[in-house]
Structure formats: structure tokens, C-alpha cells
Amino acid sequence: MCCRRIINIMDVSFPLDKAKKKKFRKKQNANKSRKGINNLPDPILQHILSYLSTKEAVRTSILSKRWKYLWTSIPKIDFNEGAPDRRMMFMKFVERVLALHGPSNIKRFSLSCNVQYDTSRINGWMRSVVKHKVQVLDLYLRNFQEPLALPPCLFTCESLEVLILHMFHSLKLPSSISFSCLKRLTLEKVIFSDDHSTQQLFTGCPILEDLFIIDCIWKYVKAVCISSPMLRRLFISDRYLFTEKYGENDDKDDLNADADENDSNGCLVVILGTSLEWFAFDGELINDYCFYNSSSIVDASIEAFERNEVDCYQDAHRVFKLLSGLSSVEKLAIYDGTVQVLNHAEELFAHLPVFYKLTRLSLESLETLFTCGAVQTILQNSPCLDFLEFQMVVCLPAYDQNYDWVLDPVPACFVTHLKTIKISEFPRDENEMNAVNIFLENASVLERIVIGCDEYVAIQREEGGLKEAKGNL
């Protein structure tokens, strides 16, 4: 009995010991892991903290004495204001973080907040980040209750490489502007104050490579030249009146209630693009854009919207100007709205440029009527085109027994270069089939038609015949 009882006790103790050992090993591994992280040098820990939000990084100060002040040297800081009832806490948090930040540089600073009556506090924050040699500055400022003039030191910051400024507010600029290291500038919904200061801004960025002007207000500017010897990419959006029509301007406040009222003449914007490679325009033709010395542009996109019947003729001339400056492009995307605007001045078709380098043309957005004069002229003026894409539907007029539409004259590229046609949406109606038949009859060097519909359809020309391949999209 005694032996049996001892054996039973031993049998129970074994699993207990095993569980204790497992728990001990787990604790030991956790301690080792913690010690392993703590043994890392400060720069590596600060780099790890930079992947957290600023709020989360500050919270790590409670982990241990070692972590108490690590966050004060993180290179990336971001602030995003939340609920209105927590505004005072937010403002104090920003000031505490900036006050405790060590002497190390701030690589990226991001701020999204309401301005209200706190322009002086916000300018104090800007001066602080400039002192820390900020490289990337991203500001989204809204709900202005008093005028804001950003501090002059911001516009002479030698360390700044990227500036993103989103604010529906007048951009008051100092007399001296010198962004000696700025490579990327994004301005969104900014209200340009006058010709002189706006011109200073664009000429004060000698090594600028990327410029994005998104829904800005040019109302107070009559003429300006965008010129930078190293500018490679330029995007301009003029949708602010378009979005205003549909009540989508969430940044509007009482201080700037009338800033986006339409000025029918707009601003003359001359684009001097000696190194420009990519250009895109998107919006209504409120302003008059024209190129000077733009032969370096390789890739371009134009999406224009009709404004109204009064301005349609003026808008057609402005589309014509844009296309005239893009004669050297190799890739061109034209949206349906652009074609509709251009059709208001058919007398300009004969003066459209020859796109002698164009190899890829994309006609995008809504239904494209292949008989449209603007489309026909652009195809006639693209002798080296080898890829033609219709992003949406392409069609001919409804079939009429008394009228059989013929492609005359046949564009030169159809005979010599056009090898691929891609149609992204194909409802298989008679009108669309008519267009495909015209392509097959006239594109004598065509090798492939790619048609997107319920099934993926590829038509391959091989040895004088057409081979069709099908598969699921």
C-alpha cells in the first residue's frame, strides 16, 4: 500500500513540475526578449518608434526608465485633431511634445487641425519644427476664424524637401522666398493672393521636381509663369467650382465664403517645361494654361469638363492650347469631356498639332463616338500610333440601311503602325460591333484586339487569319 501511495504521489507531481517549468521558461523567454529590445541602441529604438503614431510613441514612456525619454527624439511626428470637445487637450499635447523634443532633427512633421482663433500658437509650432530642420512638412489647416500668415522662416527653410499645404485660405507670402532644397510641392485649395507673391513662390524653388496644384483659387492672379529648371512632374486640378456645385467643399468657412466665386476670364498660366516629363490636367477650364518649350513631355493626360454654354467656345480654345503644347508626347490620355469641349470649335480641328512621337493613345471615361471629329483628327495626326485604347465603350452611330459609314480617310497609323486595340467595356451591341468591324477592315497591320466584357476576348491576327481566345476576366 505504501509503495502504491508513493507511486501515485509521484505520478501527480510529474505534470505539476512540467507545468511549472513551462511557465518558468515562458517567463524567462519574455525577460530575454525584453532585455534583447532594451539592449538595442537608442537610434534603432527611435527608428522603431517612428513607425508608431506620435500618441502611441509617447505612451511607451511608461514602460521603464530606459523608455521614459526615448520618444523625445523620434524623427517623425504627426498630430490629428479629433473631437471638438477634446481640442484643449489636443493643443496642450502638441505643445508638450514639441517642448520636450530633443535637439535631434525632425524628418517628418504632419499636422491636421482646426485653426479657429489659434493662429499664433500654430505659427509657434511651425517655428519650432523649422528649428529642428524639418524635411517633410504636411499641413492640413481648416476652420479659420481669423487670418493666418505662416511665419517667414518657413519660406526660407533650407532643410525642407517636401511641402504639402492644404488649406482653404489666402496664402500670405513674405517678401523673401527661398526653398533651396524643396523637391516636391503640393498646394491644395490654397487661395493665391496676388501675381507678385505667387510668382515669387514658383520661382523660389530652384530644384523643384514635382508640383501638384489641386483645386486652388487663382481669382486674384491675372498671369503667372510656372518655371523651374528641374521640374519633371506637374499636376493641375481645377475642380473647386465643380465640387462647389455639388456641395462637396468641406473646407469652406465664413472667413473665405466668397473666395471661390467664378472669374470667367481666369488666370493666364504659362508653363515653361524645359525638363518636364509628365503632365496631367483635371477639371474645368477656369484658367488659361499654355506651354512654352515643352518638347520634353513624354506622358500626358487631359480630363476637362464642360462648364456652361456661355464659356464652351472659350473652353474649346483652352483645350486646343493644351493639346498644341503636347505635340512631343509618347503617351496621351484624353477623356470624353475633353473631346466634348473641343467639339464646340470644329474650326480648330485643322490646326491641331501632329503628334509625331505618339505611340500610345487612351480615350477614357464615357462612351466614345468613333465618328467624332476631334477623335478622327487626333488619330489622323498620330502617324506612329501602335496602341489604341478605349477605356469605356466605343461605337458608331446606329446602323442605317441608307447610310453605311466608312472610315475615310483611313489614318496613316492604321496602315503602318497600329498593332494593338484594347476596348475595356464591350456590351456587344450592334453599334459597338460596327466599330470593331471598321477596325478589322482598315487596320491592315493589326495583330491583336483585346475586348473586355463578361468574358475576356482576345483576337489575335496570325498568318492572314484571326485567332480568338477566350477566358474569364
Side-chain angles (χ1 to χ4, degrees):
M1 280 292 289
C2 184
C3 289
R4 193 176 297 160
R5 193 174 294 138
I6 291 169
I7 290 169
N8 289 339
I9 291 169
M10 289 178 68
D11 289 343
V12 172
S13 67
F14 283 146
L16 285 174
D17 290 344
K18 193 173 182 181
K20 283 182 180 179
K21 286 179 180 178
K22 188 176 180 181
K23 189 176 180 180
F24 176 76
R25 276 198 296 269
K26 191 175 180 181
K27 190 174 180 181
Q28 197 175 35
N29 289 336
N31 289 334
K32 282 182 180 178
S33 178
R34 196 177 295 116
K35 285 179 181 178
I37 291 175
N38 284 331
N39 287 335
L40 292 173
D42 284 0
I44 292 178
L45 291 177
Q46 287 157 0
H47 180 72
I48 294 170
L49 288 179
S50 69
Y51 288 95
L52 303 176
S53 69
T54 301
K55 189 178 290 186
E56 291 169 335
V58 172
R59 284 174 181 164
T60 63
S61 62
I62 64 171
L63 292 177
S64 68
K65 289 182 179 179
R66 170 79 192 285
W67 289 80
K68 189 172 182 179
Y69 296 107
L70 273 175
W71 66 269
T72 62
S73 297
I74 54 175
K76 185 184 78 171
I77 298 176
D78 61 274
F79 299 112
N80 190 355
E81 184 178 356
D85 59 345
R86 300 176 66 86
R87 178 172 173 80
M88 288 308 299
M89 289 179 62
F90 170 77
M91 302 293 280
K92 289 178 181 178
F93 178 70
V94 175
E95 288 175 349
R96 177 172 175 266
V97 170
L98 290 175
L100 293 176
H101 197 277
S104 60
N105 294 345
I106 296 176
K107 289 185 178 179
R108 180 183 178 90
F109 182 85
S110 175
L111 173 66
S112 173
C113 74
N114 296 307
V115 176
Q116 296 186 4
Y117 294 99
D118 292 308
T119 56
S120 60
R121 295 175 81 173
I122 289 171
N123 278 341
W125 303 345
M126 295 302 101
R127 283 188 284 268
S128 178
V129 297
V130 168
K131 285 179 182 178
H132 284 89
K133 298 184 178 179
V134 64
Q135 295 177 16
V136 178
L137 182 60
D138 186 350
L139 301 177
Y140 178 19
L141 306 176
R142 56 195 179 273
N143 191 10
F144 294 83
Q145 300 300 321
E146 63 180 0
L148 169 69
L150 292 167
C153 63
L154 175 61
F155 297 95
T156 55
C157 181
E158 296 180 354
S159 60
L160 198 60
E161 297 178 5
V162 177
L163 174 59
I164 302 168
L165 182 58
H166 179 169
M167 63 175 192
F168 190 67
H169 190 74
S170 179
L171 182 60
K172 293 178 170 42
L173 296 168
S175 57
S176 178
I177 300 174
S178 178
F179 288 115
S180 57
C181 291
L182 193 68
K183 293 183 178 180
R184 180 176 180 135
L185 175 61
T186 300
L187 302 170
E188 184 166 358
K189 294 187 178 177
V190 165
I191 303 171
F192 296 119
S193 298
D194 56 72
D195 292 46
H196 178 69
S197 64
T198 305
Q199 188 61 66
Q200 272 193 311
L201 175 63
F202 291 132
T203 55
C205 312
I207 66 167
L208 190 68
E209 296 179 1
D210 298 333
L211 176 59
F212 296 82
I213 305 172
I214 304 169
D215 302 339
C216 291
I217 313 296
W218 303 80
K219 179 180 177 180
Y220 305 108
V221 182
K222 296 303 178 188
V224 71
C225 178
I226 296 176
S227 62
S228 181
M230 299 181 69
L231 187 64
R232 293 173 52 251
R233 291 161 48 86
L234 174 61
F235 173 69
I236 299 174
S237 171
D238 273 342
R239 280 179 173 253
Y240 69 85
L241 284 178
F242 182 80
T243 55
E244 185 69 18
K245 290 175 189 175
Y246 299 98
E248 298 175 11
N249 191 351
D250 297 330
D251 297 318
K252 198 168 185 177
D253 53 44
D254 294 337
L255 196 64
N256 299 294
D258 62 345
D260 55 355
E261 288 182 358
N262 187 18
D263 180 356
S264 58
N265 292 322
C267 172
L268 173 62
V269 182
V270 178
I271 302 165
L272 182 60
T274 54
S275 301
L276 199 60
E277 297 173 3
W278 178 85
F279 171 78
F281 175 83
D282 172 18
E284 295 181 314
L285 290 149
I286 303 157
N287 303 301
D288 189 5
Y289 298 96
C290 61
F291 291 98
Y292 180 77
N293 195 10
S294 58
S295 60
S296 59
I297 301 177
V298 175
D299 191 353
S301 170
I302 301 178
E303 181 175 10
F305 303 114
E306 288 186 290
R307 284 191 285 169
N308 50 56
E309 291 184 5
V310 176
D311 298 316
C312 63
Y313 189 74
Q314 181 188 64
D315 291 353
H317 278 259
R318 289 179 174 179
V319 167
F320 174 79
K321 274 189 180 181
L322 281 174
L323 288 173
S324 297
L326 299 173
S327 60
S328 299
V329 296
E330 298 175 14
K331 293 172 63 179
L332 178 62
I334 299 178
Y335 287 74
D336 182 71
T338 309
V339 173
Q340 290 180 18
V341 171
L342 193 58
N343 279 337
H344 288 295
E346 294 185 6
E347 68 276 11
L348 296 175
F349 294 173
H351 305 286
L352 282 169
V354 175
F355 300 96
Y356 56 94
K357 290 184 179 180
L358 186 64
T359 59
R360 186 182 183 112
L361 174 63
S362 180
L363 300 170
E364 309 205 16
S365 194
L366 304 175
E367 179 181 291
T368 300
L369 193 64
F370 194 59
T371 54
C372 167
V375 172
Q376 284 289 301
T377 305
I378 292 169
L379 288 173
Q380 294 284 354
N381 292 2
S382 306
C384 297
L385 191 69
D386 64 26
F387 188 99
L388 176 59
E389 180 175 17
F390 298 91
Q391 281 285 354
M392 295 291 277
V393 178
V394 57
C395 64
L396 293 178
Y399 178 72
D400 185 347
Q401 289 182 348
N402 300 318
Y403 173 69
D404 188 12
W405 189 82
V406 177
L407 183 59
D408 184 26
V410 176
C413 61
F414 275 49
V415 180
T416 59
H417 286 80
L418 188 61
K419 295 179 180 179
T420 303
I421 295 175
K422 182 178 179 181
I423 304 171
S424 296
E425 291 192 16
F426 193 70
R428 308 188 203 186
D429 293 339
E430 184 179 17
N431 297 343
E432 287 76 29
M433 289 302 300
N434 287 342
V436 172
N437 286 333
I438 290 292
F439 293 147
L440 295 177
E441 288 171 5
N442 293 279
S444 55
V445 296
L446 188 67
E447 296 178 356
R448 195 164 180 253
I449 294 184
V450 179
I451 298 176
C453 48
D454 294 335
E455 289 183 316
Y456 172 87
V457 180
I459 302 175
Q460 183 86 24
R461 187 188 294 274
E462 288 184 356
E463 298 179 0
L466 291 176
K467 179 182 177 182
E468 185 178 289
K470 296 184 179 180
N472 293 326
L473 274 174

